[in-house]
Amino acid sequence: MSVKVDPDRYNSLVFSSLSANEYYYSVVTEDFLTGASFNLTGDWEPRFMGDPSTGMIPKFAPAQSPPDGARVDPFDLALATRRLQITLDYYSDMQKSAPSWERLENKQCIQAYSDAFVSSRRNVLLVSSSESEGNSVLHWGASDMNTEMTNNWWICSSTINDGGHESCSPDSYASSPSSWEVFGFPIEYCLSERVDSVCSVQFSERIMYVMIAFNVIKVAAMLWVLFRYDAEKILISVGDAVSSFLKYQDPTTTGMCLADKRGMQSFWKSRSLARPFSKRRQHWGSAVSKKRWVLFFLLMMASFLLFIVFGGWGFKHAKDRGLSLDLKSLWKLGFGRTSQNTMVLYGGGGDADSTAILANLPQVILALVSFVFMSIISSLFLAEDWSKFAFMPQSLMVSSPVGIQRGTWLLGAPLAWGSGFLILQTLLHWLLSQSIFVVQISIYNKDGTPVPDSASDDDSTSRYAHLSNCGYSPIAIVFSVIAAVVLLLLAIGFYLRRFPVGSPPVVSTCSAAISAACHPISMSEEKMYGKFRWGADGDLFNGVGHCSIVSDEMWRQGYAQPPSEGFVYAGR
């Protein structure tokens, strides 16, 4: 059984805490259920960490004398006697109520208790066909949460003296349930105590303060921009820039009408130098600076490196814990499901804040990748929209449209593409949240009471009231890698696309290059809200032409036409 954590609803501030029950497992004879006598006596055992030098205590009441030379504390002996009476009373209550518990066949029983985290069940009686004169409890033990989360090892026990396994793979026993033996006793069926799962909603006070602080900074920055600058004069889109430069032509960009984004520095150094127009098809990738492409690919490499390192460790760790790595087994582990064998931290885990930070670090990297990816995509589609001015009349795409002007894209790209990118990024974030996620579990005693925060066993073995950890899902990691590869291939595919033959220079979002293309020979106020074309504006002058954004009306009247291959153009 596994505890289902809901990482897609989890954030670092508010999260859910689920329950995991400690319980007794007992191999009993059939007549235990009808009130047969039993006893729970056991041998002496080391007081701490298996070291006899720390002293010896009876498991409950000694079945025999302590080992020769063993140190026995009278207090420990009295404590063991008291524990014996409490447990005897508890087992007497179990004996009376067990006939009403849920019967599970062997395979069902193995599956129900196969995970260290059991939330909807508690104590279990394993009914054996073996007999024992005078004692209907053949073997018993306690499944207490431990540092390595191996408290379900009893499923894999083989002999009466079995002390436990570091890794237990119950699936191998579930495949042949009829031959299942626990501590050497053949099991016929189980009786399981059903209980209600307990969950609660919690929040991190420290993370709340951090989030409030960052939101205050964000609001302050927004208010500063709002009151510091005139929002009506801010150039938000390419259309805003074109509209502004047509209305207030920039004299510093005259004479370089074929300027493009990547060659802008060269044009600055040789203004008014006539250059030949080329109809060579440019890659879409030229609409984005080389630095931004390098940043994107570096972030993608860092992401894949993180997948390789963490994913490789996760798969190796799962294999070491006895899990099969075939696709069917990985799928069975599920997305975002907590399992004792797929925990990031062992030996006690961590606190809620540190595990929340650890679980969300990959989300920070993905957020950076998404931000850079969408900025690239927006630049590419803006360049593609700009190229259309050479082939068809269209209005400007501005932040505050007037008349037939177009509004900006809501998702940073045309709706169909923007929706697809949004779905892909949402899917990536969700898959990543299922790949590594916070596990916050409250531990409950065998009688259903919460384990106290300061609890420890009588033998000084550490116990937990709460478990804060990070879990991971191997199958979610696989799908995250696939989605990340799709994102990378999309970026490469868009980079390699080409603009049509005869497209204008690729200005993208470079304001200087946009300005250089906005020096028409004639432009009236009323035409600025209509449709535009890009091409050669006017006749040749001393063998040199001029290219610019012009109104569609001027184009239709023959004052502008497509530029010719090999002809030189400059500005006026």
Side-chain angles (χ1 to χ4, degrees):
M1 177 180 180
S2 60
V3 177
K4 177 69 172 70
V5 177
D6 204 355
D8 51 309
R9 291 172 50 194
Y10 169 85
N11 62 49
S12 300
L13 177 61
V14 180
F15 51 90
S16 62
S17 176
L18 304 181
S19 62
N21 300 316
E22 297 182 335
Y23 57 91
Y24 286 119
Y25 54 86
S26 309
V27 181
V28 300
T29 60
E30 188 78 43
D31 57 0
F32 175 83
L33 307 177
T34 56
S37 62
F38 63 91
N39 65 73
L40 305 175
T41 57
D43 293 333
W44 295 73
E45 56 189 19
R47 189 178 194 280
F48 183 68
M49 298 293 288
D51 184 3
S53 65
T54 61
M56 300 293 288
I57 59 173
K59 188 172 184 180
F60 279 101
Q64 56 188 14
S65 300
D68 292 340
R71 180 169 59 85
V72 178
D73 190 328
F75 173 79
D76 290 335
L77 185 58
L79 184 61
T81 302
R82 182 165 61 88
R83 287 172 58 192
L84 171 62
Q85 188 56 53
I86 292 174
T87 308
L88 283 172
D89 293 341
Y90 192 81
Y91 262 76
S92 296
D93 292 338
M94 281 201 298
Q95 188 177 45
K96 295 175 183 177
S97 59
S100 63
W101 291 0
E102 180 181 5
R103 175 173 172 143
L104 299 177
E105 300 306 320
N106 285 0
K107 184 175 182 178
Q108 296 173 312
C109 186
I110 294 170
Q111 293 172 338
Y113 289 89
S114 62
D115 205 284
F117 309 113
V118 178
S119 60
S120 59
R121 298 181 184 275
R122 204 158 38 233
N123 302 305
V124 59
L125 298 178
L126 311 168
V127 182
S128 173
S129 57
S130 300
E131 299 290 340
S132 177
E133 187 176 347
N135 189 4
S136 57
V137 176
L138 303 176
H139 197 91
W140 66 277
S143 176
D144 294 333
M145 194 64 63
N146 57 49
T147 57
E148 296 301 321
M149 298 169 217
T150 56
N151 46 302
N152 68 336
W153 67 270
W154 56 268
I155 294 176
C156 304
S157 61
S158 56
T159 67
I160 193 67
N161 296 316
D162 200 332
H165 301 267
E166 280 197 16
S167 62
C168 173
S169 180
D171 288 346
S172 60
Y173 293 85
S175 61
S176 54
S178 59
S179 59
W180 182 35
E181 293 186 358
V182 177
F183 299 106
F185 299 106
I187 306 303
E188 299 298 316
Y189 64 92
C190 300
L191 292 175
S192 173
E193 182 183 10
R194 293 286 305 212
V195 294
D196 293 330
S197 298
V198 179
C199 64
S200 61
V201 177
Q202 302 180 6
F203 77 97
S204 170
E205 187 174 351
R206 281 181 290 183
I207 294 181
M208 178 188 69
Y209 291 143
V210 173
M211 290 184 65
I212 290 175
F214 275 105
N215 278 286
V216 168
I217 294 173
K218 181 170 68 174
V219 171
M222 293 169 64
L223 292 174
W224 181 78
V225 172
L226 179 64
F227 291 107
R228 174 67 177 79
Y229 299 100
D230 185 350
E232 294 296 326
K233 296 181 180 179
I234 297 177
L235 305 181
I236 299 176
S237 68
V238 173
D240 289 339
V242 172
S243 180
S244 175
F245 291 133
L246 288 176
K247 189 174 183 179
Y248 307 102
Q249 293 189 22
D250 182 4
T252 65
T253 58
T254 58
M256 43 183 177
C257 63
L258 295 183
D260 61 1
K261 178 183 177 70
R262 290 193 174 181
M264 199 63 224
Q265 291 295 330
S266 172
F267 279 91
W268 279 122
K269 294 176 182 178
S270 55
R271 289 176 56 192
S272 300
L273 176 65
R275 305 190 185 215
F277 173 74
S278 173
K279 292 187 176 183
R280 182 173 63 90
R281 300 178 66 189
Q282 297 272 4
H283 288 293
W284 277 34
S286 62
V288 178
S289 68
K290 293 180 181 179
K291 290 182 178 179
R292 210 181 332 167
W293 278 116
V294 169
L295 176 61
F296 173 73
F297 287 118
L298 285 177
L299 285 172
M300 289 302 297
M301 288 175 61
S303 301
F304 284 118
L305 182 62
L306 182 66
F307 278 126
I308 291 172
V309 173
F310 177 73
W313 172 87
F315 279 88
K316 181 180 182 301
H317 175 264
K319 184 178 181 180
D320 292 343
R321 301 278 298 187
L323 297 180
S324 175
L325 299 184
D326 61 89
L327 189 59
K328 182 178 180 181
S329 299
L330 295 180
W331 185 267
K332 188 177 179 181
L333 284 174
F335 289 78
R337 286 192 175 274
T338 302
S339 168
Q340 68 194 63
N341 296 316
T342 54
M343 293 297 231
V344 175
L345 304 172
Y346 286 84
D351 62 83
D353 293 337
S354 63
T355 53
I357 293 172
L358 178 61
N360 283 279
L361 278 177
Q363 296 284 358
V364 174
I365 298 177
L366 179 57
L368 291 174
V369 170
S370 299
F371 178 79
V372 176
F373 176 78
M374 282 311 300
S375 70
I376 289 174
I377 290 298
S378 294
S379 296
L380 296 181
F381 276 101
L382 286 171
E384 191 260 350
D385 185 74
W386 174 267
S387 70
K388 292 179 181 178
F389 283 110
F391 310 103
M392 57 182 287
Q394 62 179 8
S395 58
L396 297 177
M397 187 164 52
V398 297
S399 56
S400 300
V402 176
I404 64 171
Q405 289 181 328
R406 295 174 293 154
T408 55
W409 294 313
L410 177 64
L411 301 176
L415 184 59
W417 283 108
S419 300
F421 295 139
L422 180 62
I423 292 172
L424 177 59
Q425 291 178 72
T426 302
L427 179 64
L428 258 170
H429 278 283
W430 180 80
L431 285 171
L432 201 55
S433 75
Q434 306 295 298
S435 298
I436 179 169
F437 46 89
V438 170
V439 177
Q440 180 74 10
I441 295 178
S442 298
I443 312 301
Y444 285 80
N445 282 311
K446 303 166 191 67
D447 59 359
T449 59
V451 174
D453 290 336
S454 58
S456 64
D457 280 336
D458 295 326
D459 59 0
S460 301
T461 301
S462 297
R463 293 182 64 200
Y464 304 102
H466 304 283
L467 175 67
S468 295
N469 211 319
C470 287
Y472 66 94
S473 168
I475 191 66
I477 293 175
V478 172
F479 277 90
S480 295
V481 172
I482 294 173
V485 169
V486 170
L487 185 74
L488 179 61
L489 292 178
L490 279 173
I492 295 174
F494 279 114
Y495 180 95
L496 296 176
R497 286 188 69 176
R498 293 180 181 270
F499 296 105
V501 175
S503 295
V506 182
V507 300
S508 187
T509 56
C510 177
S511 58
I514 295 171
S515 173
C518 295
H519 293 282
I521 297 175
S522 174
M523 178 62 65
S524 59
E525 180 77 22
E526 63 273 10
K527 294 176 182 177
M528 296 184 61
Y529 302 100
K531 294 184 177 181
F532 293 89
R533 294 286 300 268
W534 177 89
D537 187 9
D539 298 324
L540 298 178
F541 182 75
N542 292 331
V544 178
H546 171 62
C547 294
S548 176
I549 285 286
V550 299
S551 67
D552 181 47
E553 182 180 343
M554 296 293 289
W555 186 283
R556 286 187 283 106
Q557 292 176 1
Y559 292 104
Q561 59 279 324
S564 300
E565 174 81 22
F567 278 56
V568 292
Y569 297 88
R572 294 184 181 181

